[in-house]
Amino acid sequence: MSDSTMLLAVFDDLEPATHAIDKLHEMGVEDHQMNVISGIPFPGRVLGRPSALTNVSRIAMFGALLGMSLGIFLIYGTPALYPLHVGGQPVFPVPMGLIITFEMTMLGLMGLAFIGVFVDSGFPSYTPMEYVPEISDGKIAILFSCPSADQMNFVDALTKVGAESVAPAEARQL
Amino acid sequence: MATYAKPLVRQQPHTEEHEDPREHLMHDPLPRGKMNEMVMESMHETNPIFWVITAVLAGIVVFALGYEWYVLIMQGQGTAGVTRPDYWGVFLVNTVFWIGISHAGTFISAILRVMKVESRRPFTRAAELMTTFGLIQAGLSIFMHLGRVWVVYFMVPFPNERRLWPDFHSPLMWDLMAITTYVLCSTMYLFLPLIPDVAMARDRSEGWRKVFYRILALGFRGTEGEWKNLVTAMNIFAFAIIPVMFSVHTIVSWDFAMATRPGWSSTVFGPYFVIGALHSGMAAVAIVLFLLRSTMKHYKYFIRPEHFGTIGMLMLLVSMAWAYFYFNDYIVPWYGGDKWDKLLQEYTETGPLAYLWFTMLIVNIVIPWATLWNKKWRETPWLLASVGLLINVGMYIERYLIIPVGVTITRMPFTWRQYYPRIEIPMTIGTFALFLLLYMLASRLIPLIPVWEVQEGQENHILRKVGKANIPSISELE
């Protein structure tokens, strides 16, 4: 869509917003051309949209493997460099190795799950973005792109299904 | 065959007929904007008394954790009451106590989230903050105990010219790894669900607060992708932090149980310590919720008797579990007849500190069981907070009996002496003051009520007519 406009439609409630999504589908707007912005999470099935993709689980799993490797290195690798002889215990202790490996695995899992949220969501981002503060007060917004020539048709169609306002999306400092 | 049904004598209508569903937060929704406004107002409107208390607490912290710690460092551990055989004193009691307090946040937030206990929603953050601030006190207490705190980096594994390497055979190293993991993960777990609420605060603030919230909100808008990432990460945390929580206090117990000392060398110490941590932690949540409800504007809407009822029920269950584990830990050495175990038990029960042992049993078992079985009493905030306070006194005593009293009875009777804390007392007061101070300052800066979670819960709940009763139903929006 070379000559397109971003519009932001704001709704008071979930019902008209879901109708608006259906309307946008009817008018040829595809799922990847719109985004729903809300004050609480709604699963895709509630909105009638495909579920959003996330890489957080994969990143977290990678973190778990990384943490486990580090734990194994600490408990089974470093004694080769710094052998410590404790009465009656092996230099490479298996039972206590499990403790250190467990802690490092969990730290890796959760640490990278946390970082994954940043990476996948593009946080932190302090540049101006399309948003209206009313969203955190419970309104639901649909941000979508449409052909500039059809802008008024979209405004009329969404107003009819209950949009409180439909206007060109303005990037603003959050 | 005739059907015979004996009618109940009904002087009063059924309770359900009387109960107004709006008594429950989930069935008494307000517009999101209104709830946001209430939470923001509670942060902004501060009584002058608040600042007086803050100043007093800050003064105590400066004296107890600044000046007194300086004295401890300059004059050495001799200023504390620890000496042979009591090398482990109140600083370690404080460490175990504060780690115990910190368990409540994870328990309430993670376990209740995993089990989808809806009444958790308004107070998860208040509990999670206890975890972070409690762990800060635990960390400080370990450093106080170390004495030469400036060489604490010796415990960190990094190659150095002195060929010093931490001994991973030692339970103290396991402790370091576990507590570090727990501090980092619980702080991240506190921060993630906070992002949408600081974004809300950003949208409603001006001046320096706007800048502060803008930085913390990281540019969060609430797009589908952002929510998906956030909810996925929160689910990972909720499941993963539970075994970490269990591991932390189990490892703390192994600091003791791995030693072949009378009273300590016990296979049941792990779960016994975990349940003890939950006992004090749940009780502390009751106290904090009572204080928040009593002092913060509008919090009576968010924190209701039903929430105290939930916590009271958990406190009763945990008290029963604690009694079970305590009895396990008591009966085996009592029956075993080992000379030193017997001597330690006799010293605890009939010695100069016997009053502490009896107090512990009364406040940890008798009082919770005598009061919390009653729904009306459980749902009375001041009563639950009072029981919570007593439980925490009892749990502090329990740790005192395990640590300094436990090390008194060694296998060398000529070393026996009674331990008297000295500089430990003001420094202990300092940790309590710092905990309260941090909590009070946080209450001015971050929304303690997770408004988006409350709204999400309210969206999930509906009342369904079944026969003549309105039955609450919960949909699965999550």
Side-chain angles (χ1 to χ4, degrees), chain A residues 47-120:
Chain A
L47 299 167
R49 280 169 54 69
S51 207
L53 291 173
T54 177
N55 290 309
V56 171
S57 309
R58 290 183 197 91
I59 296 170
M61 200 50 71
F62 173 71
L65 290 173
L66 200 69
M68 186 190 284
S69 310
L70 187 60
I72 290 171
F73 171 72
L74 278 178
I75 196 73
Y76 301 116
T78 59
L81 298 168
Y82 300 88
L84 285 166
H85 297 280
V86 176
Q89 291 184 7
V91 176
F92 299 92
V94 173
M96 59 197 68
L98 295 176
I99 298 167
I100 304 294
T101 309
F102 168 77
E103 296 298 340
M104 294 305 292
T105 306
M106 299 315 265
L107 182 59
L109 174 78
M110 286 186 268
L112 259 75
F114 185 74
I115 292 170
V117 174
F118 282 64
V119 172
D120 224 22

Side-chain angles (χ1 to χ4, degrees), chain A residues 109-137:
Chain A
L109 174 78
M110 286 186 268
L112 259 75
F114 185 74
I115 292 170
V117 174
F118 282 64
V119 172
D120 224 22
S121 307
F123 292 156
S125 169
Y126 300 115
T127 52
M129 282 185 279
E130 294 85 2
Y131 180 73
V132 284
E134 289 78 18
I135 292 167
S136 61
D137 279 346

Side-chain angles (χ1 to χ4, degrees), chain B residues 83-98:
Chain B
T83 186
R84 189 183 182 194
D86 295 300
Y87 290 118
W88 287 17
V90 159
F91 291 143
L92 283 175
V93 175
N94 293 345
T95 303
V96 179
F97 177 79
W98 284 114

Side-chain angles (χ1 to χ4, degrees), chain B residues 275 312-322:
Chain B
I275 214 73
M313 183 75 84
L314 290 169
M315 282 163 68
L316 181 61
L317 287 173
V318 172
S319 173
M320 289 173 174
W322 183 85

